[in-house]
């Protein structure tokens, strides 16, 4: 049975187990020298963490046991993220698979898809990316123009995706493509699981203002996807995409961001300590508020109350908190961490854009939470 | 205690809301009639009976609802006093207000004729207030003799959570009014709710009041951090109300429309908690 309240004694026991495990499993370099790691070393630590998660049984906490998970609910999942946040654990490299691809396949995939894909998501031996955004379809996602043309035994995919995280490392892609030229909006898209390691897939990393290449453009030329890799009914991929986005904007995603924000603010407090007039404690309070916002939303989710729309608040909250933290980091002028803060400040500019821009989140709140028609 | 309200809290909040709502149109001032309905219904004494298993989280639910209305009753302080102190049914029915330290003064907000003032130990203060001043333009505040023992930190943490919940109720009222206003008010030939700038003010007002509510719940769970939660939560509730006033355009800052009742109330609540210092 899963836990439904944080004050359940079973929750305290689980927290203790997680905390012990996290402290033992944390990659040494990450624990001792995080701020000084090169991008390659960060990636190495992330991959080590993926392996540790799988080995320790923490990769699929909320996945059903029959698919290799632990069958826990949102409370246990959050406790894990809280404890890893306290220990400043890294974010794993297989995140898109664990947080987006896996849960989507569990909910909407066929048995064959589950057998084929889920084990390799759990052990992170296959990295996933998400092929949703296009140059002409950002906030207006339903207008994607990448096509999936029906051929014998499957589909041929042609077009361009962009802002694709992990594309250069990914074996698989969650693909949203237009499968009908006749059917209307929201009923003309299909959801496909595409193999990235085949001819016709051209990944071109995009250099961002931070200097990193976290996202890529991906070009698809006659790329084959077999019929058995269609998720849900043909042309009804929009509904599946919404499932993915609700996970992306949900408590799990927010909890991984809490890990990041907590670590940034810990460092920031040290950098600001010698600098009067900089308000790091207020950011600490906002970080605590984010933690409680996640906690509250998670208990609402566990109690099966309406929590989905609360995801929009969380998205706005974590992205703006991290942006404000890194901005203050730059302002602190800390000589030891000057490069670190410059880098993270520039990198954080993407946060109010991806996962649905903060303006789109505000539209969702007015349209769907406050129900103010246009 | 969970972050989720219990059934008793939901039930009490919904009844209190219904009763206070029946006073719609009454002047913005203490309302003895509404208090007598609440009190006769037993809603002021639910927290004193251990069998009801009322938790602080449930009182927050009632406090939030009470903040929606621009006339005052001692419901929140009575529920808290019933939870903390040994008071009999008759005393609770009269309504209880609490002695709080405001700078060099000791004051009792939500005071009105007939209520019982208790000190920091729950002892009944027999002497009359030395003066009564306007509180939030809605409810009076009694000034008590300087030597009166004010509420101790132990109780103050719960009061912070409850008053913050009242502030969230104030933000609820203003946001509801702002949505209604944006639907009827037309400019450029259409209701202003169609303009994205207005829609985003509404969204931001919602985000701020939800976060303020989270702060109230967190304050109830973390008494040792309740002052920090109150500071943050009141600021958020105020932001939400300020946005609502902006959405109202020119009428938002008229006395007649009355949004100032809510804004003033949260400013006063902060001040009696000492959060503005």
């Amino acid at each position: 049975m899963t836990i439904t309240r944080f004050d359940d004694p079973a929750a305290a026991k689980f927290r203790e187990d997680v905390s012990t495990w996290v402290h033992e499993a944390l990659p040494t370099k990450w624990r001792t020298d995080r701020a000084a790691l090169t991008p390659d070393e960060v990636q190495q630590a992330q991959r080590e963490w993926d392996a540790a998660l799988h080995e320790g049984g923490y990769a699929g906490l909320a996945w059903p046991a029959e698919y290799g998970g632990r069958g826990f609910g949102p409370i246990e999942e959050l406790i894990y993220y809280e404890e890893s946040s306290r220990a400043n654990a890294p974010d794993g490299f297989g995140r898109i698979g664990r947080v987006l691809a896996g849960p989507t396949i569990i909910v909407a995939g066929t048995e064959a898809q589950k057998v084929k894909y889920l084990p390799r998501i759990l052990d992170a031996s296959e990295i996933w990316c998400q092929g949703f955004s296009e140059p002409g379809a950002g906030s207006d996602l339903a207008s994607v123009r990448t096509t999936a043309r029906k051929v014998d035994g499957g589909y041929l995919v042609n077009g361009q995706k962009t802002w694709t995280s992990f594309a250069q490392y990914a074996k698989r892609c969650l693909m949203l493509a237009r499968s009908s030229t006749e059917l209307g909006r929201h009923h003309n898209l299909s959801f496909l699981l595409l193999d990235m390691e085949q001819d016709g897939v051209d990944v071109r990393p995009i250099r961002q203002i931070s200097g990193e290449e976290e996202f890529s453009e991906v070009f698809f030329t006659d790329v084959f996807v077999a019929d058995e890799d269609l998720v849900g009914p043909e042309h009804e991929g929009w509904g599946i995409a919404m499932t993915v986005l609700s996970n992306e904007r949900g408590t799990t995603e927010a909890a991984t961001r809490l890990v990041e924000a907590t670590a940034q603010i810990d460092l920031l407090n040290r950098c600001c300590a010698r600098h009067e007039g900089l308000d790091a404690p207020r950011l600490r309070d906002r970080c605590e508020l984010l933690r409680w916002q996640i906690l509250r939303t998670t208990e609402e989710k566990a109690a099966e109350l309406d929590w989905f729309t609360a995801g929009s608040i969380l998205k706005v909250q974590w992205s703006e908190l991290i942006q404000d933290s890194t901005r203050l980091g730059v302002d602190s002028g800390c000589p030891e961490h000057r490069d670190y803060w410059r880098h993270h400040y520039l990198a954080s500019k993407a946060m109010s854009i991806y996962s649905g821009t903060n303006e789109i989140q505000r539209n969702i709140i007015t349209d769907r939470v406050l129900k103010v028609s246009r | 205690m969970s972050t989720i309200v219990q059934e008793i809290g939901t039930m009490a909040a919904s009844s209190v809301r219904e009763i206070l709502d029946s006073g719609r149109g009454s002047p913005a001032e203490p309302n003895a009639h509404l208090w007598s309905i609440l009190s006769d219904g037993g809603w002021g004494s639910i927290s004193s009976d251990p069998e009801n298993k009322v938790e602080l989280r449930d009182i927050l639910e009632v406090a939030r609802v009470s903040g929606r209305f621009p006339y005052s009753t001692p419901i929140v302080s009575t529920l808290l006093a019933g939870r903390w102190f040994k008071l009999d049914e008759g005393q609770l029915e009269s309504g209880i207000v609490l002695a709080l330290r405001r700078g060099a003064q000791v004051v009792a907000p939500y005071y009105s004729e007939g209520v019982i003032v208790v000190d920091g130990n729950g002892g009944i203060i027999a002497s009359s207030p030395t003066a009564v001043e306007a509180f939030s333009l809605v409810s009076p505040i009694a000034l008590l003799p300087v030597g009166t023992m004010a509420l101790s930190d132990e109780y103050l943490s719960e009061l912070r959570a409850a008053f913050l919940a009242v502030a969230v109720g104030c933000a609820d009222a203003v946001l509801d009014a702002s949505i209604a206003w944006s639907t009827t008010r037309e400019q450029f030939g259409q209701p202003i709710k169609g303009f994205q700038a207005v829609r985003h003010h509404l969204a931001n007002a919602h985000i701020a009041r939800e976060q303020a509510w989270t702060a109230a719940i967190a304050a109830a769970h973390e008494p040792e951090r309740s002052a920090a939660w109150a500071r943050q939560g009141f600021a958020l509730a105020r932001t939400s109300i300020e946005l609502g006033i902006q959405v109202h355009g020119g009428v938002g800052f008229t006395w007649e429309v009355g949004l100032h009742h809510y804004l003033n109330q949260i400013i006063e609540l902060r001040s009696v908690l000492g959060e503005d210092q």
Side-chain angles (χ1 to χ4, degrees), chain B residues 78-164:
Chain B
T78 304
L79 285 173
L80 289 172
R83 168 182 165 80
W84 300 332
F85 306 129
K86 276 213 157 324
L87 295 161
D88 66 36
E89 193 80 11
Q91 291 163 335
L92 293 169
E93 271 176 27
S94 305
I96 309 291
V97 295
L98 306 162
L100 309 175
R101 180 159 299 288
R102 183 182 69 181
Q105 298 171 316
V106 181
V107 299
Y110 296 106
Y111 177 81
S112 62
E113 266 317 294
V115 300
I116 292 174
V117 186
V118 299
D119 68 15
N121 279 339
I124 291 169
I125 299 173
S127 57
S128 303
T130 54
V132 176
E133 65 180 40
F135 168 58
S136 79
L137 312 171
V138 173
S139 166
I141 183 163
L143 301 188
L144 305 176
V146 178
T148 307
M149 185 176 51
L151 208 63
S152 69
D153 283 351
E154 176 194 355
Y155 300 123
L156 207 52
S157 63
E158 296 201 352
L159 184 75
R160 286 191 188 105
F163 275 6
L164 181 50

Side-chain angles (χ1 to χ4, degrees), chain A residues 291-311:
Chain A
R291 191 168 76 78
W292 275 89
Q293 192 76 31
I294 295 168
L295 225 118
R296 189 189 135 198
T297 309
T298 306
E299 283 199 335
E300 286 169 1
K301 192 172 166 182
E304 295 177 355
L305 298 172
D306 177 25
W307 64 274
F308 168 65
T309 43

Side-chain angles (χ1 to χ4, degrees), chain B residues 161-203:
Chain B
F163 275 6
L164 181 50
V166 174
V168 176
C170 292
D172 288 335
V174 173
L175 183 52
D176 282 358
S178 306
I179 291 169
W181 173 257
S182 73
T183 304
T184 50
R185 169 69 176 169
E186 293 192 6
Q187 285 291 273
F188 306 102
Q190 65 174 94
I192 61 168
K193 70 173 184 175
F195 300 113
Q196 197 169 43
V198 172
R199 300 178 73 78
H200 282 190
H201 277 332
L202 296 174

Side-chain angles (χ1 to χ4, degrees), chain A residues 5 7 285-286 288-289 291-293 295-296 299-300 303 305 313 316-317 359 362-363 365-367 369-370 372-374, chain B residues 1-4 175 179 193 196 199-200 202-204 206-207 209-211 213-215 217-218 221-222 225 229 232 236:
Chain A
R5 301 164 53 125
D7 61 357
D285 287 347
R286 282 173 60 190
E288 278 299 295
L289 184 69
R291 191 168 76 78
W292 275 89
Q293 192 76 31
L295 225 118
R296 189 189 135 198
E299 283 199 335
E300 286 169 1
L305 298 172
I313 295 181
V316 169
Q317 207 172 343
E359 286 68 29
R362 290 180 163 94
N363 289 348
I365 287 168
T366 323
D367 292 347
V369 184
L370 301 177
V372 181
S373 61
R374 279 162 203 267
Chain B
M1 185 165 49
S2 160
T3 61
I4 311 258
L175 183 52
I179 291 169
K193 70 173 184 175
Q196 197 169 43
R199 300 178 73 78
H200 282 190
L202 296 174
N204 287 330
H206 171 74
I207 292 171
R209 67 99 184 247
E210 283 301 309
Q211 291 177 341
W213 182 229
T214 298
I217 292 171
H221 282 80
E222 297 184 334
R225 285 199 79 246
W229 283 123
Q232 195 178 11
L236 287 160

Side-chain angles (χ1 to χ4, degrees), chain A residues 104-369:
Chain A
T104 304
I105 292 170
I106 288 169
V107 170
T110 63
E111 273 316 300
Q113 287 166 353
K114 290 171 189 172
V115 169
K116 182 175 172 189
Y117 296 119
L118 295 180
R120 290 173 198 166
I121 291 174
L122 275 185
D123 69 9
S125 57
E126 289 185 352
I127 302 301
W128 284 69
C129 65
Q130 178 189 5
F132 281 16
S133 294
E134 295 183 5
S139 290
D140 179 14
L141 182 60
S143 67
V144 296
R145 277 185 289 190
T146 292
T147 55
R149 185 165 54 84
K150 191 75 192 83
V151 294
D152 194 25
Y155 300 85
L156 280 184
V157 173
N158 281 280
Q160 181 190 353
K161 294 288 174 182
T162 193
W163 308 126
T164 316
S165 312
F166 300 103
Q168 61 271 53
Y169 315 105
K171 165 68 177 161
R172 309 273 170 198
C173 176
L174 294 169
M175 161 68 65
L176 192 62
R178 191 174 290 205
S179 49
S180 164
T181 50
E182 280 134 37
L183 293 167
R185 190 175 159 87
H186 297 152
H187 299 285
N188 55 358
L189 305 174
S190 290
F191 198 100
L192 306 169
L193 306 176
L194 182 145
D195 184 346
M196 294 285 284
E197 290 175 1
Q198 56 176 316
D199 289 344
V201 178
D202 181 13
V203 178
R204 300 180 198 168
I206 299 171
R207 191 162 191 220
Q208 298 150 237
I209 56 177
S210 62
E212 275 180 326
E213 294 174 348
E214 193 188 346
F215 306 103
S216 298
E217 297 178 284
V218 189
F219 296 84
F220 299 89
T221 310
D222 286 339
V223 175
F224 183 73
V225 178
D227 281 334
E228 54 263 32
D229 285 329
L230 170 72
V231 181
E234 188 181 40
H235 310 314
E236 295 298 336
W238 179 252
I240 314 279
M242 290 301 102
T243 307
V244 176
L245 293 181
S246 74
N247 284 318
E248 187 175 19
R249 291 169 191 170
T251 49
T252 325
E253 171 69 10
T256 69
R257 300 309 178 160
L258 180 63
V259 175
E260 191 174 344
T262 306
Q264 301 280 27
I265 291 168
D266 277 348
L267 180 61
L268 189 59
N269 271 310
R270 296 201 292 277
C271 296
C272 289
R274 289 159 295 186
H275 205 308
E276 263 182 50
L278 289 180
D279 204 1
R282 255 195 80 221
L283 289 172
R284 163 68 66 203
D285 287 347
R286 282 173 60 190
C287 199
E288 278 299 295
L289 184 69
L290 172 62
R291 191 168 76 78
W292 275 89
Q293 192 76 31
I294 295 168
L295 225 118
R296 189 189 135 198
T297 309
T298 306
E299 283 199 335
E300 286 169 1
K301 192 172 166 182
E304 295 177 355
L305 298 172
D306 177 25
W307 64 274
F308 168 65
T309 43
S312 291
I313 295 181
L314 289 174
K315 161 74 213 302
V316 169
Q317 207 172 343
W318 62 252
S319 58
E320 294 180 357
L321 173 60
I322 295 176
Q323 288 181 338
D324 291 348
S325 308
T326 56
R327 185 187 303 110
L328 189 62
V330 170
D331 291 348
S332 75
C334 175
E336 277 168 67
H337 297 102
R338 190 167 281 134
D339 291 346
Y340 176 88
W341 286 121
R342 168 93 58 95
H343 173 80
H344 284 274
Y345 165 66
L346 292 169
S348 76
K349 300 317 290 173
M351 291 181 175
S352 46
I353 303 300
Y354 59 56
S355 293
T357 67
N358 288 15
E359 286 68 29
I360 284 289
Q361 304 302 337
R362 290 180 163 94
N363 289 348
I364 290 172
I365 287 168
T366 323
D367 292 347
R368 293 171 60 186
V369 184

Side-chain angles (χ1 to χ4, degrees), chain B residues 7 15 32 45 61 76 85 121 143 177 202 210 222 228 230 240 265 274:
Chain B
E7 206 177 324
S15 300
S45 53
E61 203 75 8
V76 177
F85 306 129
N121 279 339
L143 301 188
L202 296 174
E210 283 301 309
E222 297 184 334
S240 182
Q265 181 153 348

